[in-house]
Amino acid sequence: MSKIARQQSTHLPPDTRRTNFNEVVCGYTETEALTESGRCLQCKDPLCTSGCPVRINIKGFINFVSKKDYKGAYKTITEANLFPSICGRVCPQDRQCEAACILGKKHEPVSIGLLERFVGDMAQQNGWQETRPIVPINRTAAIIGSGPAGLACAYDLAKAGVSVVVFEALHLPGGVLTYGIPEFRLPKERVFKEIENLTRLGVTIETNRVIGRIHTIEDLMGRLSFDVVFIGTGAGYPKNLGIKGDALNGVMSANEFLTRVNLMRGFDFPRYGTPVGMGKNVAVIGCGNTAIDSARTALRLGPENVYIVYRRTLEESPARKEEIRHAIEEGVQFICLTESKEIISDNEGWAKGMNCVQKDETGSSEFLLNVDTVIYALGTMANPIIARTTPELTIDKAGYIETNKENMITSIQGVFAGGDITRSGGAFTTVIHAMSTGRRAAKGMLEYLEAVIAANGRPPKFRG
Ligand code: FAD
Ligand code: SF4
């Protein structure tokens, strides 16, 4: 058993980081990465890989790191995952690969995420890319949405020789990686460099293309002659509480808030033209990743107090544990076991307070929280645009697209779906989970192309 302690990465001190958007976790130095890789037991039957939704050969890549063969490590990771810099930073490793690490039973698990990030960043610094001979197979795929699900699907299809076009509604690709997760946790430069590897493989990404508005799925498979389609549109539709005061000025959804700050670079206003409109006392309602990101982002915009108001206990929060710790260190105040009942208005239609009820085993108490900004981070919903323009698509009551589990096929021949627009993630919707569904769909799409084309010459025209 390893006697070496788990290597901790340097972090920016809380007082410094709450004043800027610089990355909080600095990542391993080479010495730290080598020491950490030396902790891996190189188990005969490793369990860590089964904890990774895309099944990275973790033992294999860590072995390469320990021998300083970083390129070998990169090649091993990218067999399964083109985004090591991203996943190393945002995966909830404590619930996935690291939770399965055998060393973790008696000691601390190997820091798989930080090692993966080290390799991904090293590849970016050295301009390594995923290169492999690609044999075109004269087939075309349209991917709707450039989040992790769509991009992972595009990667596997491109490797198999399919010509892939990704249609993205926003002006930049990446989905939540770009518009949702803040710069201090996931620098956008890292995201775009990893996406560049995909375009180098020949994948075309067309931004500012809202499918459902400019083309329907029927157009894609008919007039535009795509053989297969993947829907990876995420679940970015905001949810509110439906309480009195929801529509007041100063009340907004986390999606709107984070998009303003991340995508429109509102944190750099007035250099960039998008103001964010932050008050002095901010309440974020909810306690998942989105809520923690919203609270920490709000804190960096200079209010006096930022609260997280959560109806459960902190232990029950689905957010990454590390982010909760960071939020506490930075000064976010948690008010748990508390429900928001009403947002109170001033005379001019702006929020000026929130009535709350706190409940514990001894009973319940009401109080007024003095806040002028309220951010809803209550989870999201499926955007209805694709389903509305494609009535043949079977959706569930809440608007999520129904697929089978094995290959993510929808009710329409040749149309597949994955990521947050399906319910595939269950209670935990994560980047790597979305990627694993994108990969499963790509496998299904390739099988479909092979089978249908073998029988018909070309896939049939659109048929629901
Ligand atoms: P998305 O990432 O939502 O991407 C969908 C894309 O489709 C978007 O770019 C959207 O613009 C585009 N689109 C939508 N409709 C159309 C259309 N009609 N035409 C064309 N394009 C369209 N997970 C983690 O693992 N770790 C974390 O730390 C983490 N933090 C998070 C923080 C926040 C703030 C949020 C919101 C989520 C977080 N998650 C995290 C969850 C994770 O980001 C999502 O589960 C994942 O991004 C889902 O991927 P996706 O590809 O399904 O959708
Ligand atoms: Fe762990 Fe995520 Fe990397 Fe898989 S992709 S090994 S779950 S950090």
Side-chain angles (χ1 to χ4, degrees):
M1 282 279 165
S2 174
K3 292 207 172 75
I4 310 162
R6 178 173 154 123
Q7 299 298 289
Q8 306 298 331
S9 157
T10 311
H11 289 48
L12 293 185
D15 283 349
T16 313
R17 67 194 195 221
R18 58 173 286 168
T19 62
N20 61 48
F21 280 77
N22 296 342
E23 190 169 18
V24 168
V25 182
C26 304
Y28 279 158
T29 60
E30 185 175 12
T31 310
E32 286 163 346
L34 286 171
T35 310
E36 187 63 21
S37 66
R39 295 181 68 234
C40 176
L41 302 174
Q42 290 292 308
C43 309
K44 194 157 164 267
D45 297 310
L47 298 180
C48 48
T49 289
S50 64
C52 167
V54 295
R55 305 282 185 262
I56 290 178
N57 174 0
I58 296 171
K59 167 182 164 177
F61 100 74
I62 293 181
N63 191 32
F64 277 121
V65 172
S66 69
K67 293 179 177 147
K68 292 195 180 183
D69 182 353
Y70 305 125
K71 216 168 184 179
Y74 180 66
K75 210 166 176 307
T76 307
I77 296 172
T78 50
E79 294 287 330
N81 178 8
L82 191 59
F83 297 151
S85 266
I86 295 170
C87 293
R89 285 171 166 84
V90 304
C91 271
Q93 290 95 5
D94 50 353
R95 279 201 299 264
Q96 296 183 160
C97 50
E98 293 179 17
C101 170
I102 291 170
L103 189 61
K105 291 199 189 317
K106 289 205 172 152
H107 302 268
E108 286 203 272
V110 174
S111 193
I112 299 166
L114 279 169
L115 285 172
E116 188 176 341
R117 166 186 163 154
F118 172 79
V119 174
D121 290 1
M122 171 82 77
Q124 291 192 3
Q125 270 145 31
N126 293 291
W128 299 334
Q129 28 176 298
E130 159 55 17
T131 44
R132 54 177 69 224
I134 290 179
V135 184
I137 60 166
N138 194 26
R139 297 288 165 238
T140 54
I143 310 267
I144 311 174
S146 67
L151 296 181
C153 182
Y155 178 44
D156 282 0
L157 292 176
K159 280 193 292 187
V162 176
S163 163
V164 182
V165 179
V166 180
F167 295 96
E168 167 55 49
L170 296 173
H171 68 277
L172 289 171
V176 171
L177 304 173
T178 303
Y179 78 76
I181 303 181
E183 184 76 17
F184 56 82
R185 206 150 73 74
L186 179 64
K188 301 308 148 221
E189 195 194 340
R190 296 284 175 202
V191 175
F192 298 140
K193 280 222 169 106
E194 291 204 325
I195 294 179
E196 249 171 58
N197 279 342
L198 198 60
T199 48
R200 282 208 202 98
L201 284 180
V203 171
T204 304
I205 302 181
E206 293 193 9
T207 51
N208 297 315
R209 296 279 185 276
V210 184
I211 300 302
R213 289 260 185 282
I214 54 157
H215 310 302
T216 60
I217 290 187
E218 189 168 359
D219 293 335
L220 292 174
M221 298 188 84
R223 197 163 51 80
L224 297 168
S225 297
F226 285 99
D227 295 323
V228 278
V229 170
F230 175 80
I231 308 170
T233 45
Y237 219 54
K239 228 188 215 173
N240 64 21
L241 266 183
I243 57 173
K244 203 169 161 204
D246 263 354
L248 290 173
N249 292 319
V251 181
M252 60 188 107
S253 73
N255 252 28
E256 177 192 342
F257 170 63
L258 290 172
T259 303
R260 275 174 173 270
V261 179
N262 293 325
L263 192 72
M264 319 302 280
R265 304 195 70 82
F267 66 86
D268 208 358
F269 179 77
R271 212 153 70 88
Y272 289 81
T274 306
V276 181
M278 189 75 346
K280 280 191 176 159
N281 295 293
V282 181
V284 177
I285 305 180
C287 199
N289 279 316
T290 309
I292 305 284
D293 281 345
S294 300
R296 296 177 68 203
T297 299
L299 200 75
R300 285 160 169 76
L301 297 171
E304 285 168 13
N305 292 294
V306 176
Y307 307 100
I308 286 213
V309 180
Y310 184 39
R311 64 196 169 100
R312 299 205 168 93
T313 63
L314 208 47
E315 292 67 42
E316 290 170 277
S317 159
R320 288 180 92 224
K321 299 294 167 246
E322 184 180 43
E323 310 309 336
I324 296 178
R325 207 181 57 240
H326 287 162
I328 294 170
E329 287 167 3
E330 287 164 11
V332 173
Q333 301 165 62
F334 287 78
I335 307 176
C336 292
L337 295 171
T338 299
E339 286 187 21
S340 319
K341 291 294 178 195
E342 179 184 1
I343 304 168
I344 315 286
S345 171
D346 69 5
N347 294 333
E348 292 172 355
W350 288 85
K352 70 161 190 185
M354 189 162 74
N355 276 332
C356 302
V357 178
Q358 191 160 47
K359 291 182 186 158
D360 60 23
E361 58 284 358
T362 60
S364 65
S365 58
E366 285 189 28
F367 64 96
L368 175 70
L369 192 64
N370 172 24
V371 287
D372 48 12
T373 305
V374 178
I375 300 173
Y376 283 148
L378 302 161
T380 46
M381 295 193 299
N383 188 318
I385 184 171
I386 296 280
R388 264 193 210 141
T389 53
T390 317
E392 298 83 357
L393 206 55
T394 304
I395 53 173
D396 68 14
K397 278 189 194 141
Y400 292 87
I401 298 174
E402 293 200 341
T403 65
N404 73 0
K405 260 196 176 160
E406 195 200 334
N407 56 15
M408 313 302 296
I409 191 157
T410 68
S411 52
I412 303 176
Q413 272 197 51
V415 179
F416 297 71
D420 286 4
I421 189 61
T422 63
R423 298 262 198 189
S424 54
F428 294 109
T429 49
T430 64
V431 168
I432 197 66
H433 212 284
M435 289 176 72
S436 80
T437 60
R439 297 201 66 200
R440 240 182 289 155
K443 188 165 172 279
M445 290 159 100
L446 292 168
E447 284 162 5
Y448 167 84
L449 285 173
E450 206 174 311
V452 176
I453 293 168
N456 303 331
R458 300 264 334 150
K461 285 277 181 208
F462 181 82
R463 193 140 37 91

